[in-house]
Amino acid sequence: PHGVPSGGDWALERMGALFFEGTEMLTVSNCTFERLDGNGIMLSGYNRNATLADNDFSWTGSTAMAAWGRTDELSDGGIHGLDGTTGDYPRYTLVTGNLVRETGIYEKQSSAWFQAKTAQTTISHNVIFNLARAGININDGFGGGTEIYDNLIFNTCRESSDHGPINSWDRQPYLTTVRTGQASLIPDFNIAHNNFIVSNYGGVKSIDNDDGSIFWNHNHNLVIYGWGMKNGIGCGGHKSYNNVVLYADIGYRGHTNFKGHEEYRDQIYNETWLFGNGTHDYLQEGSGCKVTEHGIPESYVPPNSHDNTLYSSAGNNKVLITCGKDKYSIQEWQSKTHLESGTEVIDKLPSNDQLMDMGRKLLNM
C-alpha cells in the first residue's frame, strides 16, 4: 500500500489505524490515538461528508489524519492519471476541533492533516504543534475548494526545514468538476484565513505555496516570525490581504508571474508586516526581474502589491525590494517603477499592547 499519491514530495502508506473507503456521512469523534506506528485515520478513495472531530492524536509514527483519492494511473500508459472526474476521492470532509501533537516519530514526511487527490475539505479549530514536518500538507491542487481557518499551529518542522506550518504543492494539473460542475483543469481557490501561525523551528515559510501551487487566498491570518507570503515557482493566482506578520524575516518571495496571464497576477494588499532589527527584504522578486531607465520591462509581470503597512525599527532604508540582483528601498522602487502605491514604511514599532490588540481583532478574540 506504500505509494506516491500525486505531484507533491510525499509518499505514504494507504492505511491507518482506522481505514475508510466508500463511506458517506462518516463521523469519527472523541477518540484518542496514541503511540501508533503509522497513520491514525485514512480516508481512501470515495468518501463524502466525513467528519473527524474532537479527537486527540499524540506520538503517532506517521500522519495523524490523511485523505487520498484515486485516479487511473495505469491504463494506456498512465495517460488518464490526471482525470479526476470519476469522483473516486474524498470530498466535503470536515476536520475540526482535533488536538494533534508529537507526530512523525518514524516517518518524517508526515503531518497532522495530509490530503492528495482530495477536494473541498474544511479544516478548522484544530490545535497542532510539536511535529516533525508540516502541520497541514496539501499535496496537490486537484479540484481545490479547501478552507483552512481558526487553527492554532506552532512548533512545526522540528526535524526538517524548507517548509511551512501549512504547505502545498501543485506540480501537475487535474481534470475535475469541482469548481463549476463542468470538467476543467482550473481548480477552485484554496483559502487559509484567521489562523494563528507561529513559524518557528524549520517551518519558517508560514503558508508555503511551493512548486507550482496556484489559486490560493490568504487573508486575516496572524503569523509570528518567518515569511509573509511565498509563491514558489508558480504562475501567480495568489491573493494575500489583511494579514498581520510580526517579526518577519521576508515579506513576499515570488518566482514567476507569466506574461499573458496578468489576470492571475499575485495580489498583495492591506498587509501589515513588522520587521525587527537589521535589513529585511519586503519583496524578493525572481531572476527575471529588472528595472531599466524606463521602469519595469513589459516582459516582466510583477505582483500587484499596494497599500501595505511595513514597520521597521531599523528605518526606511532597511526594508528593501530585491529585483534580480539589485536591491531598492521602498521609496526608490516607487520612484523608478511607479509600483507599490500606498505602501509605507513606519520606522517606529507598535507597542506590545498595540500588537496584542492587532492579534485579537484579527482572530476575533
Side-chain angles (χ1 to χ4, degrees):
H2 189 86
V4 179
S6 56
D9 279 7
W10 292 19
L12 76 163
E13 298 77 28
R14 194 185 283 272
M15 62 174 60
L18 295 181
F19 180 91
F20 300 100
E21 189 161 343
T23 74
E24 295 183 356
M25 307 304 295
L26 164 75
T27 296
V28 179
S29 64
N30 296 292
C31 295
T32 298
F33 299 80
E34 184 176 2
R35 297 189 183 277
L36 303 173
D37 288 343
N39 302 315
I41 298 174
M42 171 63 71
L43 303 179
S44 172
Y46 180 94
N47 288 272
R48 292 292 184 272
N49 299 100
T51 297
L52 312 179
D54 303 316
N55 300 293
D56 190 331
F57 298 83
S58 62
W59 301 98
T60 57
S62 190
T63 288
M65 298 168 283
W68 180 1
R70 285 192 171 94
T71 60
D72 180 4
E73 298 175 339
L74 300 178
S75 300
D76 301 323
I79 63 172
H80 308 294
L82 61 74
D83 186 359
T85 61
T86 60
D88 192 11
Y89 57 87
R91 191 173 184 182
Y92 309 126
T93 305
L94 174 62
V95 182
T96 186
N98 299 285
L99 175 64
V100 184
R101 60 186 179 87
E102 271 76 36
T103 65
I105 302 304
Y106 303 121
E107 175 55 71
K108 303 311 174 186
Q109 293 276 45
S110 54
S111 56
W113 171 259
F114 170 94
Q115 71 178 53
K117 296 179 182 175
T118 296
Q120 293 174 303
T121 308
T122 299
I123 307 163
S124 70
H125 301 93
N126 301 285
V127 177
I128 299 169
F129 63 99
N130 290 359
L131 312 180
R133 199 75 166 127
I136 295 169
N137 187 64
I138 311 298
N139 208 59
D140 52 57
F142 203 66
T146 288
E147 184 178 12
I148 304 169
Y149 69 95
D150 286 349
N151 299 285
L152 171 61
I153 310 175
F154 61 98
N155 291 3
T156 65
C157 301
R158 296 194 302 168
E159 300 179 67
S160 58
S161 60
D162 191 24
H163 217 48
I166 299 174
N167 182 79
S168 69
W169 287 292
D170 197 8
R171 295 190 180 111
Q172 65 183 77
Y174 285 99
L175 186 72
T176 77
T177 59
V178 170
R179 184 172 61 94
T180 65
Q182 301 297 316
S184 174
L185 294 173
I186 300 176
D188 200 359
F189 270 89
N190 294 312
I191 303 173
H193 65 92
N194 296 99
N195 297 288
F196 189 173
I197 300 171
V198 182
S199 298
N200 57 346
Y201 287 94
V204 298
K205 297 180 181 179
S206 59
I207 303 174
D208 185 357
N209 296 144
D210 204 4
D211 289 7
S213 292
I214 56 176
F215 300 108
W216 274 83
N217 181 322
H218 317 147
N219 68 84
H220 297 87
N221 296 290
L222 175 62
V223 178
I224 314 295
Y225 311 128
W227 297 16
M229 178 183 174
K230 178 187 173 184
N231 165 13
I233 320 176
C235 60
H238 300 81
K239 297 178 181 179
S240 186
Y241 56 92
N242 294 114
N243 299 288
V244 173
V245 183
L246 304 180
Y247 305 105
D249 296 321
I250 297 171
Y252 164 90
R253 184 175 182 182
H255 290 280
T256 308
N257 284 273
F258 287 124
K259 181 68 177 175
H261 295 278
E262 285 80 2
E263 70 273 25
Y264 298 130
R265 268 174 89 184
D266 285 348
Q267 310 287 322
I268 309 166
Y269 56 93
N270 294 339
E271 300 277 68
T272 299
W273 294 346
L274 184 149
F275 300 95
N277 295 324
T279 301
H280 295 272
D281 278 352
Y282 159 54
L283 299 182
Q284 286 187 350
E285 289 293 319
S287 59
C289 179
K290 63 180 179 178
V291 177
T292 71
E293 60 181 336
H294 303 294
I296 294 286
E298 289 188 4
S299 59
Y300 184 74
V301 182
N304 183 15
S305 178
H306 58 89
D307 295 298
N308 299 306
T309 301
L310 315 174
Y311 292 93
S312 171
S313 59
N316 292 355
N317 293 326
K318 296 297 184 180
V319 178
L320 303 177
I321 292 177
T322 296
C323 174
K325 297 180 180 180
D326 301 316
K327 291 183 177 290
Y328 303 89
S329 70
I330 302 299
Q331 292 83 355
E332 290 173 330
W333 183 259
Q334 290 169 330
S335 174
K336 290 178 177 292
T337 66
H338 305 293
L339 300 173
E340 290 293 338
S341 63
T343 294
E344 62 175 339
V345 180
I346 299 173
D347 59 8
K348 182 180 178 181
L349 301 185
S351 68
N352 289 337
D353 287 342
Q354 289 172 318
L355 294 178
M356 292 290 288
D357 189 51
M358 283 183 193
R360 290 191 184 101
K361 290 180 179 178
L362 201 64
L363 301 176
N364 300 314
M365 298 174 65

